[in-house]
Amino acid sequence: ARPHNLFEGVRFANLTQQATIEVFSVSGRFVDRMEETDGDGGLEWNLTDMARRRIKPGVYIYRVSTKQEGVEEFVGKFSVVE
């Protein structure tokens, strides 16, 4: 049994006060876009696509961008396992 308070998703941290995160499959298919707007530098994503369907296990690429001057775009990857 899983604990009832277990978060099943991805936590993005150390973001600028306003940031955009875009997630893609390794084949380049767009999965979802999220916005950090509350200024706390963190964002949780529940592993669903734009249609709110749960994404499949695999490797995903994410891109973090911001309009804040002097801050470069960042690209990373993560994996989803069952």
Side-chain angles (χ1 to χ4, degrees), residues 2-58:
R2 292 182 179 185
H4 71 280
N5 62 350
L6 178 67
F7 173 68
E8 292 185 9
V10 174
R11 287 188 175 102
F12 296 96
N14 300 318
L15 301 170
T16 58
Q17 289 185 344
Q18 292 187 331
T20 300
I21 299 173
E22 295 173 303
V23 179
F24 303 87
S25 67
V26 290
S27 65
R29 182 181 62 84
F30 176 76
V31 176
D32 202 1
R33 175 181 290 115
M34 296 140 283
E35 301 280 336
E36 160 55 41
T37 57
D38 66 7
D40 71 357
L43 189 63
E44 291 184 346
W45 179 48
N46 62 0
L47 302 177
T48 59
D49 64 13
M50 293 289 284
R52 299 298 165 229
R53 294 178 300 234
R54 178 86 171 177
I55 62 172
K56 295 180 180 178

Side-chain angles (χ1 to χ4, degrees), residues 37-77:
T37 57
D38 66 7
D40 71 357
L43 189 63
E44 291 184 346
W45 179 48
N46 62 0
L47 302 177
T48 59
D49 64 13
M50 293 289 284
R52 299 298 165 229
R53 294 178 300 234
R54 178 86 171 177
I55 62 172
K56 295 180 180 178
V59 176
Y60 292 85
I61 308 297
Y62 66 95
R63 177 174 57 206
V64 180
S65 58
T66 182
K67 294 178 183 166
Q68 185 174 327
E69 196 166 323
V71 179
E72 293 187 25
E73 179 178 277
F74 179 81
V75 176
K77 62 184 173 181

